[in-house]
Amino acid sequence: MRFLVVGGLSVAVDTGSLFVYHGVLKIVLPVAAGLSFLTSFWVNFGLNRAWSFGSSAQMVPQVGRYFALVLANLTANVVLVSALTWAGTPYLLAKLLVTASLSAVNYLVSKRWIFA
C-alpha cells in the first residue's frame, strides 16, 4: 500500500511537472516528458527507501540500481508518451497510462533488487 501511495505522489509530481514544462513553458513534449520524469526521481527514491521498504542498506548501491531502473523507465516513458500522443491521445492522459502500466514491474524490481 505504501508503494502505491508513494507512486501516487510521484505521479502527481511527475504529471504536474509535465504540465509546467510542456503546458506552461512550452518545452517540446519528449524533452518535457523526460524532465518531468527525472523531477520525481528523488521524491520517489527517498520515500520508497525510507517509508515503503524501510531499507537501511547502503544507499549508494541502491541509488545506482534505482538509477538503472529510472533510465529504463525514462526511455519507456519518453517513447510511449510520445507515441501515444502522436496517435492522438492527450499528452497528460498518455503520461498517466504509461505510468500506470509500469507500476507493477517497478514494484517487483524495487522489492527484489533495489531495496532488498
Side-chain angles (χ1 to χ4, degrees):
M1 188 52 75
R2 290 178 182 184
F3 184 81
L4 292 176
V5 171
V6 171
L9 291 172
S10 296
V11 168
V13 168
D14 195 3
T15 305
S17 297
L18 179 63
F19 173 74
V20 170
Y21 294 140
H22 182 67
V24 175
L25 299 177
K26 306 299 182 198
I27 296 172
V28 295
L29 185 59
V31 174
L35 289 172
S36 68
F37 190 77
L38 292 174
T39 299
S40 68
F41 176 94
W42 287 110
V43 171
N44 190 282
F45 177 81
L47 288 175
N48 272 319
R49 183 178 197 280
W51 191 51
S52 298
F53 298 103
S55 179
S56 60
Q58 290 187 356
M59 189 163 69
V60 172
Q62 288 179 340
V63 170
R65 291 188 298 264
Y66 183 73
F67 189 70
L69 178 64
V70 166
L71 288 179
N73 275 280
L74 174 60
T75 301
N77 268 275
V78 170
V79 169
L80 294 172
V81 168
S82 297
L84 287 171
T85 302
W86 177 82
T89 305
Y91 73 95
L92 292 177
L93 177 59
K95 179 65 174 176
L96 292 173
L97 291 171
V98 169
T99 300
S101 70
L102 294 173
S103 292
V105 172
N106 289 336
Y107 175 78
L108 293 173
V109 171
S110 293
K111 183 176 181 174
R112 294 184 180 164
W113 184 52
I114 295 171
F115 300 108

